[in-house]
Amino acid sequence: GRRHKFILRGIVYFGSSHFTSRILTEEGMLWYHDGINTGKNTECEGPLSESIDLLRCEGREATAAIYSQL
């Protein structure tokens, strides 16, 4: 079969009856969104690094990962 490459582009988190998300750009920057606290805006968390825990964010657990095909 043919192999396909995918890259992580976003993570959805859930906790306390509320969803939030992180978005990863092509440049490797990590952005945070919480509709209650940030409204329509996202907040830049900086470059993605190994020290960032992608399984948890602001007390919420990762529930979905979004990938795009390269």
Side-chain angles (χ1 to χ4, degrees):
R2 209 170 114 197
R3 291 184 178 248
H4 299 277
K5 288 190 177 185
F6 293 88
I7 187 163
L8 182 65
R9 288 292 179 218
I11 304 169
V12 178
Y13 299 88
F14 182 76
S16 302
S17 301
H18 181 64
F19 289 98
T20 59
S21 64
R22 279 176 162 158
I23 300 125
L24 292 120
T25 66
E26 290 182 20
E27 296 80 21
M29 297 299 288
L30 190 62
W31 293 80
Y32 173 73
H33 181 260
D34 177 345
I36 290 176
N37 294 319
T38 63
K40 295 186 285 185
N41 301 313
T42 55
E43 295 177 351
C44 183
E45 293 188 274
L48 181 62
S49 69
E50 290 182 21
S51 64
I52 296 175
D53 182 3
L54 295 178
L55 295 177
R56 289 170 210 55
C57 182
E58 301 291 327
R60 294 177 175 82
E61 300 287 322
T63 58
I66 292 94
Y67 291 86
S68 67
Q69 186 174 346
L70 292 177

